Each structure stands twice: as C-alpha cells, then as structure tokens.
Amino acid sequence: MSSTDVILAGADAYNNEFDAEQYLKDCYQLDQDVVGKDSKNWMVKWLTQIHKVFAKGNLKGKKLLELGAGPCIYATISASKHYDEIVTSDYVKGNREQLTKWRNNDHDCFDWSPHIQIVCDLEGNGETAEERAKTLRERIVDVAFCDALKDPMLPSRNGEKYDAIVAFGVIEEVAPDRNSWLQILACIVKYLNPGGVLLLGNSLGSTFYRRGASNNRAFACYKTDRDEVISTLESLGTTILYESMLDLPGDGYFNDRTDKMFVVAQK
C-alpha cells in the first residue's frame, strides 16, 4: 500500500469503482503457454485445488449457487459436471453484464477457454474446452443480483435453498467488520439444504485488495485467520470435510494476504 492509495468500502464503492473489464484483463488473462505448464501460476493452483475436491466424487446435487462471482466463471468449471443447475450472482451490475455476455457466448465476452482447458486436462477424459463451456452455459440457469449483507441475499430467487454454495474471494472482501463477516457466513449456511456443502476461498490476513494495475484505488477487507474461519463454521453447525492452505501470499500491491485458504464444510 502507498500513502496515496484511496481505501474504498461499501456497496456504492463497488458499483462506482469496480471496473469489471479491467479487472478481468489485469487479473485473469492467461496466455496459452501457461496451460498445462506453469503450476506456480496462482490461477493454475486454484483451479487444481477445486478440481481435486470435485474429483473425489462425493460433491453432487441439483442446485449450486455461486455467491459474489464477480465477472468470473472459473469457480464453476469443475462443478458443472456435478450439479444440474447453477445460479451465479454478483452485486455489481458490470460484473453481472460480463457473466451474461459469457453465458450468451457474445462475441466480446471474456475468453475463459484457457482456464477451462486446464480443468479438462486435469480431468483427463479428452473433453475439449469448447465442449465444457457448452455444458457450463447450459447449466447456468440465472445470473442474479445478490447482496451478501442482506437476507435474502438473492431477492429474485425467493429464498430457495441450495445443495452447494460457492463463495470464493467474497466474504472478507465485502464485510466491513467482524459482525458483518459473521452475518454473511450465517446467512450462507441458512440457505444450504441439509447435507449441502459450502465451498469457501478465504483471503487470510488481508486488509485490502486492488481491482487492477496502475491505479491508486484499493478495497478494504476484513482481516481473518484460519482458526477464526474454522471455529465459526463449526459454531454454525457445519462439519469441516476438507481444508487446505494454497501457499498463495499476496504481493503487497494487489493484496496483502498471508495465504489463501480453501475449505469445504457440510451442513
């Protein structure tokens, strides 16, 4: 962080300041050379971790929600083979527009094919990125508005419950304080079906993250750690099925996290 950086927080800041297109270009652009080669790339690590969890074969069901997807679809690539219907959601209009563009296969949508190819290669069944993209598009039944700080989080979905909820890089990033952070987790668990699973990607130790390169705007984060995450999930009546630290500390510019944690908890 620099003394000239502006720290942003709250819903208005996201709607006014979050540039979905720039965020995708700065943070998610993958060269084809990375696919299958660079295991140290953070996106490759993250996709590999998600794949490992779904490859066990015990996570499956009818409906999956991704809460706060941003403009991204990578979190549901592996899940698309295990859940029949996927609802993806975000608070920011520009993010939902990017998700809708990809779902509709618009000519100017972001190219997720390198990310999808990584997952296909990990699965090793010969499926192409184009084939998997078609499956995922067919299974995305809605791109919904969500507000993680309110209940219901997805007002248009009439309080429906899910067999799985995915929340990667969203809870710490939108919670202004510990009470809000606890409220979000409790609300997520509330909307899981009995036996349903929560897949969390937590940014540990982070106080900020930057939306992209070459700007002095940074979004505030709630600073948490592994013990707080696990104890809170257990206090909400879930059982930890899996947890892993990904050895992905921040670089001090885009974020200052100490590590990225992946957790699967069952209600």
Side-chain angles (χ1 to χ4, degrees):
M1 287 291 291
S2 160
S3 59
T4 61
D5 283 334
V6 178
I7 304 300
L8 306 166
D12 287 343
Y14 274 90
N15 265 330
N16 296 333
E17 298 282 349
F18 198 95
D19 186 330
E21 287 191 31
Q22 193 63 47
Y23 177 67
L24 287 169
K25 289 176 183 176
D26 287 344
C27 300
Y28 291 94
Q29 200 81 49
L30 275 185
D31 294 330
Q32 288 290 344
D33 288 345
V34 170
V35 179
K37 298 177 182 179
D38 187 1
S39 62
K40 293 183 179 180
N41 177 280
W42 78 271
M43 191 74 256
V44 176
K45 278 189 175 184
W46 196 230
L47 291 170
T48 301
Q49 184 64 70
I50 300 169
H51 159 73
K52 285 180 179 178
V53 168
F54 280 102
K56 296 176 184 292
N58 58 335
L59 301 185
K60 59 184 69 174
K62 182 177 181 182
K63 287 186 179 181
L64 177 145
L65 165 66
E66 183 176 7
L67 181 70
C72 305
I73 60 91
Y74 72 87
T76 52
I77 299 169
S78 291
S80 65
K81 296 294 287 267
H82 302 269
Y83 290 86
D84 300 328
E85 298 179 8
I86 295 172
V87 176
T88 188
S89 66
D90 201 75
Y91 182 88
V92 178
K93 181 181 179 182
N95 288 341
R96 297 195 305 276
E97 289 174 348
Q98 288 294 324
L99 291 169
T100 301
K101 280 184 178 183
W102 188 85
R103 180 193 182 196
N104 294 341
N105 200 17
D106 291 350
H107 69 92
D108 59 343
C109 69
F110 185 76
D111 182 15
W112 289 101
S113 56
H115 308 71
I116 298 172
Q117 190 61 56
I118 288 170
V119 175
C120 291
D121 291 346
L122 288 167
E123 292 175 349
N125 58 16
E127 187 178 25
T128 67
E130 183 179 0
E131 290 168 336
R132 175 57 68 85
K134 183 176 184 293
T135 297
L136 180 52
R137 287 186 170 108
E138 290 172 348
R139 296 197 173 186
I140 296 175
V141 298
D142 195 7
V143 177
F145 167 82
C146 73
D147 187 341
L149 293 169
K150 293 185 179 179
D151 185 3
M153 297 179 293
L154 279 70
S156 67
R157 301 299 299 181
N158 301 315
E160 72 181 354
K161 296 191 175 183
Y162 300 89
D163 300 311
I165 297 178
V166 177
F168 291 162
V170 60
I171 300 178
E172 289 79 34
E173 286 77 359
V174 303
D177 50 45
R178 186 170 192 271
N179 285 340
S180 299
W181 184 81
L182 293 170
Q183 173 189 323
I184 294 170
L185 277 174
C187 199
I188 291 173
V189 172
K190 174 182 175 180
Y191 287 101
L192 276 175
N193 284 321
V197 293
L198 169 59
L199 294 88
L200 278 182
N202 300 90
S203 295
L204 304 183
S206 186
T207 63
F208 76 90
Y209 80 98
R210 201 179 300 272
R211 68 182 185 189
S214 304
N215 68 75
N216 69 335
R217 324 291 271 185
F219 291 90
C221 298
Y222 171 69
K223 186 177 182 178
T224 189
D225 58 30
R226 179 263 175 201
D227 290 346
E228 184 176 34
V229 172
I230 297 300
S231 63
T232 300
L233 289 172
E234 290 176 339
S235 73
L236 291 170
T238 69
T239 301
I240 307 301
L241 300 181
Y242 180 84
E243 66 169 292
S244 177
M245 305 296 265
L246 274 67
D247 189 25
L248 287 172
D251 62 2
Y253 177 79
F254 280 103
N255 62 75
D256 62 344
R257 67 175 179 247
T258 55
D259 205 346
K260 195 81 171 176
M261 179 181 182
F262 186 66
V263 182
V264 181
Q266 185 172 40
K267 183 175 180 179

